[in-house]
Amino acid sequence: MSTTVSHDIDRVPDAAELERYRAEAREWLAENMPPLDPRADPNQQTKEHVKDLARRLHSGGYSGICFPREVGGAGLTRSHHRVFCEEAADYELPIYLGTPGLSIIAPPIMEFGTEQQREHVAAMLRGERLFVQMMSEPTGGSDMAGALTRAERDGDVWVLNGSKIWSSGASRADWGLVLVRTDWSVPKHRGLSMLLLDLSLPGVTVNTIKMVDGSEEFCEEFFDDVQVPHECILGEPNDGWTVANRLLFHERQSVGGGSPYHFNRPKSARSSARGSDLVGIVGRNGREADPVARQLIGEAHANELVGRQLISRVSDAVASGVLPPIAGSLLRLNTGVTAMRRGSIALGLAGTEGATWEDGDDADHPADQFILRQASCIGGGTTEMQRNLISERLLGMPREPAADKDRPFNEVRRSRREENTR
Amino acid sequence: MSTTVSHDIDRVPDAAELERYRAEAREWLAENMPPLDPRADPNQQTKEHVKDLARRLHSGGYSGICFPREVGGAGLTRSHHRVFCEEAADYELPIYLGTPGLSIIAPPIMEFGTEQQREHVAAMLRGERLFVQMMSEPTGGSDMAGALTRAERDGDVWVLNGSKIWSSGASRADWGLVLVRTDWSVPKHRGLSMLLLDLSLPGVTVNTIKMVDGSEEFCEEFFDDVQVPHECILGEPNDGWTVANRLLFHERQSVGGGSPYHFNRPKSARSSARGSDLVGIVGRNGREADPVARQLIGEAHANELVGRQLISRVSDAVASGVLPPIAGSLLRLNTGVTAMRRGSIALGLAGTEGATWEDGDDADHPADQFILRQASCIGGGTTEMQRNLISERLLGMPREPAADKDRPFNEVRRSRREENTR
Amino acid sequence: MQLHLDDDQSIFVDTTRRYLADTSDIATIRALAETERGFDADWWARGAELGWTSLLAPERMGGGGVSDDAVSDLALIAFERGRLIAPGPFASVNAVVAALATSDAHDDLLARLIAGTSVATLAASERGVRWPGPGVTTSLSTVGDAVEITGEKITVESAAVAEAFVVLAAGPEGDRLVVVPADADGVEIAPRRSPDLVRRFADVTFRDVRIGRDAVLELERSDLERVLDIATVLQLAETVGVLDRVLEFTIEWASDRYSFGRPLSSYQELKHRFADMTLWLEASKATVTEAAAAVTKQPEQAGQYVSAAASYVHEHGPELVQDCVQMHGGIGVTWEHDIHLYLRRVTLNSLTCGTVADHRERLASMILEGAGR
Amino acid sequence: MQLHLDDDQSIFVDTTRRYLADTSDIATIRALAETERGFDADWWARGAELGWTSLLAPERMGGGGVSDDAVSDLALIAFERGRLIAPGPFASVNAVVAALATSDAHDDLLARLIAGTSVATLAASERGVRWPGPGVTTSLSTVGDAVEITGEKITVESAAVAEAFVVLAAGPEGDRLVVVPADADGVEIAPRRSPDLVRRFADVTFRDVRIGRDAVLELERSDLERVLDIATVLQLAETVGVLDRVLEFTIEWASDRYSFGRPLSSYQELKHRFADMTLWLEASKATVTEAAAAVTKQPEQAGQYVSAAASYVHEHGPELVQDCVQMHGGIGVTWEHDIHLYLRRVTLNSLTCGTVADHRERLASMILEGAGR
């Protein structure tokens, strides 16, 4: 098994090198990338637009700053990536390429993939291919290893049947990484495989899911006798959980803000607070002088600043081995609880004046955003799962008893009412 | 097994009867009971003073309003008790007789005791005997059924050895109700007995425990070959857990404020808020007009009022069978979380001005009270235990796996380091 | 919600419960979301026949409670409506009926409200003013034989279909409620969207609106607050109904749903949250029941009770529903799952008829300055 | 607390850690609680020899950091002190040293502070004024060749043994820090009790106290706030040290202690609370580390960073320790168990050098009005 990257992304470049890099990036960005419309929702970028932005980045050598040169990356360091993101804060970037593609899916392909499979990463960096992860299932909840979607070997192909859900942006993707069950006679973690799936194959159906805010970023997929070539298995057959675990690690890094592969947008402390809609809400309600409102503004700003400082610290600690990688769960947890609190603060600041808004005004209304508040504590692994991981794997506390732990998967009970499905 | 009381304490008397009772009580109180010093700590009442107050009440027929006449009670109803408590709000009452004596210990004696044993209740009502419950043990935490204190049969006596802790006011008591292990070869709930213990017997040592606020209300007791007569077993030998469970039920009722046997002090909504130290703190700091302080004052007052309304509702619901008795845990839980929040609110209102106080000023300082804050969530069964009880017994959710459930008690592990003690 | 109902109350509640079960399932609510007014006029009129709008009317017009406490009777209906997130301006219309019942100048309007053939709603909230005042800026002045109203009200329910508004305005002798026909000159209605899918709101501007003097209800501040407290407590009862239903189906879900081979409801951390939610719900029922009763039976305490209930219910209610969303995981934030409809109602209710902050400030003013009735 | 220490820092911290381990165990703290000053003068002087009070002094007096960031170096010491709840006015004395270092008029006093043979502390807080101002009422006026100070300060640390106070006062040209000898005429010290057992405080009244003009440190508001921020951030670092130790021994307890036949740490609800506490601790370390560094390295951001850290740490810190008390059950609230000593320190620290509310208000003023440096 090879390592994720073949160069040292944790090397600390000297200041002069970084400043040179910053100056070049600044100049290149101004000439090549479209300026950011701060009101635009990056989830609305179309497939073609994402690919166009990615192609532009690639032409400048910026699409995979921390990826090795052999797949078309720049072979540089976290520091270069951070500098580039700082400079790119006011430009439009191919957000969907960065997440999940480069930050969540590419690393396990680099780690477990054959040379041929790594070509997928090169194609992503060139802006030619967009990837989606397909892990969750309608009946599965947080229990990804309980996958019921099955693939059965038939000569040179695997025949895929079942369905996946919560695949972010699958309707824009060309390929997917799918966790499937390939052996039902062993305990659940030991009968899984990871498939690289061409979504244009016959039998694949992708539907969008409408969320409570009307967005349709998430998708549900159905697989009906899809014939997947054998060479599309990533890692060893029945060892898919090992691959999935690495993918989940990178997902936590990415959602928590600690990934060196996605395009995050650092904001200066002052501008983020001043520019946030909280200050806007207080201003519209004429409550700038209200001590109660001011307390909430102060609290929200502190939380936001501390969250960024936590990301720096934990990323550094994991990179330098002070903390184990699972510490990334702290970032994911904090992202969730901070967003949750922010949603409540916004609603409190909005007050009765925020209970209604003009028809057709499609700005972010606190009362409407409040309806979606829990999404920040569910997507990318629930906060409950993060707390399990932190207590069990970071603090070493006893694991939760799992009724399905050492039983063959086809003997595990899946609901109060249902009989086993197989 | 007889019932706790032989008359209907839930009967609803007509208004005229109650008003007559109220008028009589008012007149009697004015003539017979000392007025209350609102600054006095009822936990500071001495043994003799408690007994004196109890004797006075008994002479007027008020010491056991809801107890049956055959033990010297008045054989009246919850409504009479409530009316008396309302009228007695400004008089000193024998608090320690009420809790734990009448409200926690007397009911199981009435329910499980022999006629001879019920004489203890009569003695309590006459102000001649004070009782303490001895349930917890130093190594036991919330697991009362894990008692290690042992009693071994030797002819006509049980030989008692071990220690108990958290016995509230044991240093003022004459007798105790002690949960002991009498059979080690069966699972833990099946080898317990409940003993009525004369604390003046040779081999009994009672020490007070100093709490973080300097108070010494709680005690620890040591038993060294104490010879307890066989007739002092309450209920059946090895069936002590049944008795303990009823005692715990009455404890929850009492701590939560829903017992018809203890002397609670209802306050009018306005006076309790106005008289509370929160308003005092705000006044001393000159923050009456500070909107932030006003929010906290409003919140605390709402919590307090809602807490009282919850007590009325749940007590009524349990009495009328709408909710099962375990719903008393809701009251205990609410008492804990409300006190906890109140402690934080008080500290917030106190601010820097409340960080220090005059030497010798022994009023209740929020910063000092904050140090003791969790006591409200620990004593009388932790809030964690209440949440277990509510989810498992009120909502019917699956019980926590217990490693000691069906094993003989002498095979149960009790700590990471210790070997079993027997 | 009340622990003990007498026979008349039981029949009264059962009738509404059956009517709502038959007419107001979730599919209907989703369909109504697409309509302009959010509720069906005939449906409302049939609800009125069941007593939804008449209990607070004067006896001469057939009003009066099912029990000796009409506000508590209506709170029972509000609770049932909450369980099915039924549409229609229930709390607001009843507050208007209570207001109009204090005069005989508006009997025609009152009759139509009782019959359910028309609606009229409260216009009380303003930008930058804490519910229920002080500090109302909409002005009431006398001009010859008439009065003139000027100001802007927000979150006025069902404004587009209302026949009249009962407007809270500051007059020369103090705050008053004024009955203003929706079609009077100078009334401008600007529709607004809310998080709720079936309840409709507007900002309403009154620009030198001149109407007859008998439009002014001569209520002192304490009686005026009674009207606002009725709206508040009925809305709170509706919220408690929503919470009751949401917790019910979420507990069921947690028992049915297995994760890692065992039911969600076997996980201690979730069990403890369900215990907390059960406490919040039971305490909410306790405080709203007592607040509703206080309006009639302890009028001097009613303001305090209503604001304490609002502080408690609006603090814990939205959190309870959000926690139930969390228990559902991903499907809890999809459009297809119904839980967001309940969350929308609870969120909306926590922002109209005063926020948590408004009611805490009101409690503080009662405690620190002895304000309120 | 910092993730990476260079060799010099490691030696610096290890020296203090060993010294504290040898001299400042819990039994010693409990014994010191019974003494009048709460710490031993010789012990303090030996601590000073280890660099506790000299790093912020000017170079000409042997000052300067172990690394290029003396405030961060001191924060490391504060953290170690917190883990052992060591006594002594560490944060306040260092803030005073930083203040005196801006002038050469007080070199004698400074030399004694550096040597640890004397202490001088901050007198900044006032009744009814939010830290760190605006609104200070203690007045500074010029009278001939002298200046006069009048006002009352609260929570002045170690006032009874201090040689001088650095007083925050409002002068004609703005707020200033003024060095006032404790024995000057008109200085009255009223000892007070605090929840902490070994740290001593007093209210100090300045009644027409007349002293020489060179007592006034000519610092602009931003430099003056730097002094107060140093006190705040060192106290925060101490709090984080306390939290670190408390969480450590509570996790150990939860693993050792069995309840119902299995370890406390196997109960999911407790596990989740430990996860939250771990998050709070790690975030507290992150923000206090950055706040300490900002004082020297990003002075324009320092006020914001310090107040954000204070908002976060004082919100979560006391709750973390209380939750650890809860995990201990009954023994957690006995005098005999040590955890209350830690809780006392964290509680005290959350009330001096500004409360959560003070720091949130300060952040709001930076955001909404662009206040602060």
Side-chain angles (χ1 to χ4, degrees), chain A residues 210 212 352-353 357 400 416, chain C residues 128 193 256 262 335 344:
Chain A
K210 187 174 174 187
V212 292
T352 301
E353 294 86 344
W357 51 91
E400 281 303 294
R416 188 167 66 172
Chain C
R193 287 182 52 201
D256 285 353
R262 58 187 179 108
W335 188 265
R344 288 170 183 280

Side-chain angles (χ1 to χ4, degrees), chain D residues 341-362:
Chain D
L341 302 176
Y342 297 87
L343 176 58
R344 288 170 184 279
R345 179 63 55 85
V346 167
T347 302
L348 172 71
N349 283 359
S350 76
L351 297 174
T352 57
C353 293
T355 62
V356 168
D358 294 343
H359 287 285
R360 287 182 178 162
E361 169 59 32
R362 188 182 183 209

